Every structure is written in structure tokens, then in C-alpha cells.
Amino acid sequence: MLNEERPLLEVQDIYAGYQDFDILQGVSLHVKPGEIVCVIGPNGAGKSTVFKALYGFLRIRRGRVLFDDRDITNIRPQDALRAGITIVPQLRSVFPQMTVLENLEMGMYLERDKERVRRRIEYIFELFPRLAERAKQKAGTMSGGEQRMLEIGRALMWEPKLVLMDEPSAGLAPLITKAIFQQIRRLNQEIGLTVLMIEQNARQGLEISHRGYVLELGRNSYEGTGRELIENPEVRRAFLGGR
């Protein structure tokens, strides 16, 4: 059940970019606890820039970001992690020469309590039995879908309040993409996982999302429930390949 109270994450009219050029020009969005929220838009719209700004990889010049009732504008990445925000990057980020188990341990590299790390690994293995079966296998020898599953599992090691997912379908075959989206929806339904997702596969991203935003040229263009955006004729024509 969704929390109807104040947002967990609130992005208020942010401007950010590179050198003297603002790619984001007043972007606003919010995510409530227990929601999956999907951000779509054409290439160059500023979707990935939003994540970089939220996680402290890019400086926000105007506007602010609130998370769990505190101002985290221009937070450092390590402090974002401590605050309860983890990220699943677009590009493959597993350590190929490390085992599945070692990759999961890297998800809690800031944690000094070995017992807590052990408990979290057991929990991830319960969520993803396939990872448990491959605990001693080198991550680089796994399929693309299994590596993405490992990346999601590693992001959950820190018991995050919010997971940022940057194009979880990137580089995956259609059937594997469908399975990954099903996993994200399952985690949302079973453990209340809160997700802010960027997705180029707009239709599938919106289908599993409670709400969504469309960005164009660094600005908000449309917003609504996932179903409302899928059924919006202008959104369908521009982004979903429909008429």
C-alpha cells in the first residue's frame, strides 16, 4: 500500500549542467514511499543528468532536493548512500573477476559490522535464489540478466529507502528486459521497494510504475500515473510509437 503522506524525495525546480550551460532548467518531481516512478523522454532531455544531480555527481546551481525531511542539495555520493539512497547505474557495474558473494559484499563497503553484512547477504539470497546458487561464480561469467539482478541485489544490501535505477533494461534482450521489470515490480509489492527509474523503454517502464514524468529539453513536459501517460495521445505519439 502506498504511503499517502509527504514525499520521500522532492526535487524542487532544479537547474544543473556542465560548465556554464544548464541542461536541467527547472525540473521538479517527487517520489512517495512505496512508489515506482519512471522518468522518460528523448535522448538529450536531461534524464541521466537528473540522477547525477541527485546523487552529487553534478552540482545543482538553483533549486533544492529534499529527502526524508532533510535538504540534501549537492550532497556527496558517499553521504547519499549513508542517507539511504543507492543507485543501479546504466552501464554494467559488476566486478567481473569477483564472485557474486564478493560483489554483494561491495554493496556494504562502508559497513564495519560483519554480522550485519552476513545477514544482509542472506536476505538478498532469499530475494534472489539464483544469486544464492551462483554465490561462488565470477560475476563476469554470468548472463546480462543475471548481472543486472546482481546489481539490483547489491543496491539493496544497504537497506536503502530509495533506489535510483538508470535504464535497467539497457543492453538486455526483450525477454530478459521483461523479466527484470517483473523483478522490480515484485520487489515493490513484496518489500515496498521505492524506486525512481529512468527508462528508454518508455512503455514497459510506465507499465510497472505508479507515476511518471516526461522530460523534454531539460524541462517537465507531462506527468501523471503510468496508465495516464501510456494513454495520453501526445505522449504515445512522441515516445511510445503509437498514434
Side-chain angles (χ1 to χ4, degrees), residues 189-200:
Q189 293 173 341
E190 292 182 1
I191 68 173
L193 183 66
T194 304
V195 176
L196 177 60
M197 162 172 53
I198 295 169
E199 186 47 61
Q200 200 65 29

Side-chain angles (χ1 to χ4, degrees), residues 28 38-40 212-216 219-225 228-229 232-239:
S28 297
C38 184
V39 180
I40 67 170
Y213 294 86
V214 180
L215 296 188
E216 292 184 272
R219 298 181 177 91
N220 291 77
S221 180
Y222 301 93
E223 65 178 277
T225 67
E228 286 170 347
L229 291 177
N232 182 309
E234 295 182 5
V235 174
R236 291 177 61 181
R237 182 167 53 249
F239 306 107

Side-chain angles (χ1 to χ4, degrees), residues 32-43:
K32 292 182 178 181
E35 280 192 314
I36 300 175
V37 174
C38 184
V39 180
I40 67 170
N43 289 333

Side-chain angles (χ1 to χ4, degrees), residues 64 98 126 130 138 148 189 233 238:
R64 64 176 186 161
M98 291 184 177
E126 289 176 4
R130 186 175 298 182
K138 287 188 176 180
R148 182 62 84 200
Q189 293 173 341

Side-chain angles (χ1 to χ4, degrees), residues 135-147:
K136 296 183 179 180
Q137 183 175 337
K138 287 188 176 180
T141 66
M142 300 168 71
S143 69
E146 290 169 339
Q147 289 186 33

Side-chain angles (χ1 to χ4, degrees), residues 97-109:
Q97 297 304 315
M98 291 184 177
T99 65
V100 167
L101 179 61
E102 290 167 338
N103 268 270
L104 290 177
E105 290 173 339
M106 289 298 294
M108 292 188 77
Y109 72 96

Side-chain angles (χ1 to χ4, degrees), residues 19-65:
Q19 297 179 350
D20 296 326
F21 178 72
D22 286 326
I23 293 175
L24 304 181
Q25 300 182 35
V27 170
S28 297
L29 58 85
H30 71 271
V31 183
K32 292 182 178 181
E35 280 192 314
I36 300 175
V37 174
C38 184
V39 180
I40 67 170
N43 289 333
K47 302 186 300 297
S48 292
T49 306
V50 171
F51 273 21
K52 291 176 182 177
L54 292 183
Y55 217 69
F57 295 126
L58 193 64
R59 184 163 184 79
I60 295 171
R61 285 195 267 265
R62 289 171 53 188
R64 64 176 186 161
V65 179

